[in-house]
Amino acid sequence: MGIRKAVFPAAGWGTRFLPATKAQPKEMLPLVDKPIIQYAVEEAVNSGACEIIIVTAVGKRAIEDHFDSSFELEHALAKKGAETLLAEVRAISELAEISYIRQKEQLGLGHAVWVTRNLVGNEPFAVILSDDIIDSEVPCLRQMVDVFERYGGSVLAVERVPRSEIGSYGVIAATKIADRVYRVEDLVEKPDPADAPSNLGIVGRYILTPRIFALLGETRPGKGGEIQLTDGLRALLREEPIFAYEFEGRRYDAGAKIGFLKATVEMALKRGDLVKEFAAYLRRLDLPPEQ
Ligand code: G1P
């Protein structure tokens, strides 16, 4: 059956990265030399979802330009004989079929997903939050598609999160039904750590059935005055089973400064063209004493 379509909410202000995001989308910040959102689009494509829907807003033009073909640049690279770069730049515009839709008001993640209802139509689809970069052998979304095909309901990616950080996540109450697979019993958006129903936090990968759209249309603002996807899922749970999947792989929260830095360092260390010199540099660093 598979999943053909993947929705990428990318309309947020990126306030955690100001001033870098004052005049450029946070999705375009590079990890080494590739913008954050490209990692996520590649993950979707490598998981079989080749129809990409990006939810944008004012100030996000650079995302469209990035995935478009750039005649001038390609011409200049060809003239210089920079064949490898030329192929790389071309490949980006051929990666997937991408549609863009504007979220006119930033009313929350649930609303950002809801605005794609006509583009997605009546079929199960993926939602990818590109802030969460997941480095894994099998793409995270591909792992989730396998769970979806086996269990036949919406699937949320989850990870065990330290108690002190659980208040930054949607959190599930769930029963384990197989290795890494849970049946969701309840969900709560960013609970007080003392009230969190578990330490299983939702990370930015979802496979959703299209019923979610009608329910998001009726979802009232919740935590932070925003229309929360988690609240829409809670309504969905009353009608359909929802599963959670503890994915295999390493996640970086590239939407936070510390996560972005960790991702940058670790990704650079995986790069054949950089590892030798960069590792030598890190080894020589005179680090401040632990506090
Ligand atoms: C969103 C969701 C939250 C989820 C998180 C994963 O929150 O609302 O349920 O756990 O993404 O990254 P945000 O990080 O956008 O505040």
Side-chain angles (χ1 to χ4, degrees):
M1 190 169 24
I3 294 290
R4 297 191 306 151
K5 299 186 179 180
V7 166
F8 287 72
W13 287 115
T15 39
R16 288 191 287 178
F17 269 100
L18 280 170
T21 48
K22 186 179 171 203
Q24 68 172 333
K26 68 169 175 175
E27 293 78 11
M28 290 302 295
L29 296 176
L31 289 178
V32 187
D33 54 8
K34 197 154 75 174
I36 286 178
I37 193 164
Q38 192 182 329
Y39 287 91
V41 169
E42 286 174 351
E43 179 188 325
V45 171
N46 292 333
S47 305
C50 297
E51 290 179 44
I52 305 294
I53 298 161
I54 303 184
V55 183
T56 67
V58 67
K60 301 284 186 168
R61 261 275 309 272
I63 299 177
E64 296 184 37
D65 289 343
H66 182 71
F67 290 109
D68 199 354
S69 60
S70 169
F71 176 77
E72 294 85 347
L73 176 62
E74 287 175 26
H75 180 72
L77 291 173
K79 223 167 117 188
K80 279 205 324 195
E83 293 302 328
T84 313
L85 276 179
L86 178 61
E88 209 173 303
V89 161
R90 275 214 183 116
I92 301 169
S93 59
E94 288 161 4
L95 200 53
E97 192 184 303
I98 306 188
S99 316
Y100 298 90
I101 187 159
R102 288 255 185 160
Q103 185 187 17
K104 291 180 214 154
E105 288 175 280
Q106 295 191 8
L107 299 179
L109 177 60
H111 179 258
V113 171
W114 180 78
V115 302
T116 68
R117 64 200 178 285
N118 293 326
L119 288 171
V120 172
N122 194 26
E123 62 182 279
F125 64 105
V127 174
I128 296 191
L129 308 183
S130 58
D131 276 0
D132 281 323
I133 297 275
I134 299 174
D135 185 25
S136 55
E137 218 162 281
V138 177
C140 179
L141 187 63
R142 178 68 245 177
Q143 299 175 37
M144 294 170 71
V145 170
D146 291 344
V147 176
F148 171 74
E149 285 179 338
R150 170 127 195 236
Y151 293 92
S154 296
V155 182
L156 320 177
V158 292
E159 185 175 76
R160 295 207 178 268
V161 172
R163 272 282 156 187
S164 57
E165 291 164 29
I166 200 78
S168 306
Y169 293 84
V171 183
I172 61 166
T175 311
K176 192 166 186 174
I177 54 170
D179 186 31
R180 296 182 176 270
V181 183
Y182 298 81
R183 195 174 162 129
V184 176
E185 277 149 16
D186 200 2
L187 319 86
V188 46
E189 178 67 6
K190 304 198 172 95
D192 230 307
D195 305 332
S198 75
N199 64 351
L200 286 167
I202 302 171
V203 310
R205 301 289 183 279
Y206 308 74
I207 291 178
L208 303 175
T209 58
R211 175 70 185 137
I212 193 71
F213 289 121
L215 298 170
L216 284 173
E218 294 162 7
T219 302
R220 304 271 60 90
K223 196 94 191 178
E226 296 189 341
I227 296 171
Q228 296 291 352
L229 180 55
T230 306
D231 293 340
L233 288 168
R234 201 158 194 229
L236 186 65
L237 189 58
R238 281 186 226 116
E239 302 183 8
E240 298 176 0
I242 297 180
F243 301 91
Y245 172 66
E246 245 184 304
F247 58 93
E248 283 180 60
R250 174 134 171 76
R251 176 185 67 108
Y252 304 95
D253 177 7
K257 283 171 205 139
I258 194 71
F260 181 86
L261 290 169
K262 288 177 187 171
T264 301
V265 171
E266 291 186 34
M267 299 278 191
L269 289 172
K270 287 192 171 180
R271 286 272 299 255
D273 56 336
L274 298 171
V275 59
K276 195 167 163 234
E277 193 176 341
F278 190 47
Y281 161 77
L282 291 176
R283 271 187 225 107
R284 281 196 307 268
L285 271 186
D286 190 10
L287 296 176
E290 214 162 329
Q291 293 166 18

